[in-house]
Amino acid sequence: MTHKILIIDDEEKLRSLLARIIKSEGFEVFEAKDLKSGFKKLEQTDIDVVLCDVKLPDGNGVDFLQNIKGSFPLTEVILLTAFGNIPDGVQAMKNGAFDYIVKGDDNDKIIPLLYKAVEKVHLQKKVQQLEKRINDKYSFNTIIGKSKGIEQVIDLAQKVAKTDSTVLLTGETGTGKEVFAQAIHENSNRVGKSFVALNCSTFTKEILESELFGHKQGAFTGAVKDKKGFIEEANGGTLFLDEIGEMPIDLQAKLLRVLETSEYIPVGDTTPKKSNFRLIAATNRDLKTESDEHRFRSDLYFRLNIFEIKLPSLRERIKDIGVFTHHFVKQFSEKTNKKTLNISDDFLQKLENYSWPGNIRELKNIIERSVILSNDDTLTSDVLPYEMQHQAEKNTKSMSAFSMQSVEKLHIQKVLNYTKGNKAETARLLEIGIATLYRKLEEYQIQ
C-alpha cells in the first residue's frame, strides 16, 4: 500500500524539492501552497501524513494543526519552521503534532520521521478496523433471524441498551444470551469500557466469591497476592453474570448489597470499595418459581427483574432455521477450505422438524459436523445424526395403551398441564434434564 503525503508550503522551490525527495522513497505526494488549499486536499484524499510550514499566507500551521486533528484524527502532522521557536514547538506538540523540525537544520530527519509517522498511522488504522469488527460483531444488525419473535426481542434490547438499567436475559441454554449481552453493552453509553463476563455455574462457592469480589493476600490458602474481582474489573463498564440462578444463596445477599450501594468488600478485607457498573444477568431457570420456592432470594430476583428479555427458543423460530443454516454452512465451508456447499431440501426439512433442545448452539455443532462429513457439493440428510434422520419413523410408531411408553407419555402430559406448560418446571418435577424432556416431547408428539 502506497502511503500519501501532503506538503503545505508557500515556498514553491522548497516544496518541489521535498516532493522529489519523498517521491523517491516510494510515497505518493500531494502539494498545496496555503492552508485553504491544503485542507481541501485533505477532504478529497485519504492523507496519511502532512508536512506543514508554520508561517503561511493565510494562517499559522500550529493553529491549523488543531483543525486537521479535529477533522482527520488518524492523520499525523509534522510541522516545519524556518526558525526554531520553543513556545511554538511546545504548543505544536500539545496540539497533537507528530514532530516539529527546523528547515535546513533538520532536513536529514524528514525521511526517517515520515517512516515513523506512517507506521503510527498504519497501526492506528489497524486498531480502528479491529474495533469496528468487534463493534460490528456485537451489533444488533448482525443478530441472525427475521422471525417476529426475535425482532421483538431485538427491539426491546435496543430500547434498554441506552439506559443504565439492570437487564435479566432469560431463555433456554444456547439461545444466544451472551450475544445479546454483548450487543447491549456495545450499544450503551458504556461502550469502550470493560465488558466482563462470569459464568456462575463454573465455580465452587469459594472460588466464585473470590472471582466476583476479589481477595486480599493471605485471605485463604493459595492467596499469595491481592486479586481484583470481576466487580472491580467492570468498573465503568458492564458485568455480565451468566447462569445467575446457580449462584449460592449467601453470595446472592452480597451481590444484592453491591447493587444497592455500589460497595463491596474483597474476601479477607475489611475496607469497602466502590464500583460503578451496569449489570446484565442471564439464566435458563424460572427465577420466579425458584424464588417462590426459596431457592433464589426474592429480593435479588426483584432487583434483577427490572427489565426482563426472554429469548425465544429455536423451536419458536422455525423460519430462522434456514437463515442460520446458510450462515453456518458458509462459515464452516470456509473454515474447512471447502467451496460453500449447497443445501438440499430434505436436509433443511429434517432440521426444521427437529426439536432443538440445545437451540442455536446445537444447530451450529450439527452444521459443522455435517460440513466435515459431506463428500459432495450438497448437504443431504444422510450426513445428519441418526436420530435426526429417523425422527419421523420414531414419531409414527404405534404405542400400546399398556406399554411403559404410553404411561410415560401420559405422566409427562399431566405434569405439563400442572405447570401450565412451564417446561423448566416440568423437567424439575420429573427429575430429568430439560434436554431429555424436549426429546420426550418430540418423541411422543406432545404439544
Side-chain angles (χ1 to χ4, degrees), residues 215 217-218 220 222-226:
H215 63 248
Q217 179 181 351
F220 50 83
V224 293
K225 61 181 180 180
D226 291 358

Side-chain angles (χ1 to χ4, degrees), residues 56-71:
L56 286 157
D58 56 346
N60 184 291
V62 176
D63 299 330
F64 181 62
L65 173 59
Q66 289 182 298
N67 294 340
I68 296 176
K69 297 303 283 186
S71 301

Side-chain angles (χ1 to χ4, degrees), residues 212-223:
L212 198 54
F213 299 99
H215 63 248
K216 291 289 287 181
Q217 179 181 351
F220 50 83
T221 304

Side-chain angles (χ1 to χ4, degrees), residues 35-78:
L35 299 179
K36 184 178 178 181
S37 58
F39 197 80
K40 193 169 183 180
K41 293 278 187 189
L42 283 162
E43 290 179 320
Q44 294 170 343
T45 310
D46 185 16
I47 299 293
D48 294 302
V49 182
V50 177
L51 280 170
C52 183
D53 192 9
V54 169
K55 303 293 183 184
L56 286 157
D58 56 346
N60 184 291
V62 176
D63 299 330
F64 181 62
L65 173 59
Q66 289 182 298
N67 294 340
I68 296 176
K69 297 303 283 186
S71 301
F72 312 98
L74 297 186
T75 299
E76 292 299 330
V77 181
I78 299 171

Side-chain angles (χ1 to χ4, degrees), residues 59 96 111 175 239 390:
I111 297 302
T175 49
L239 175 62
H390 301 280

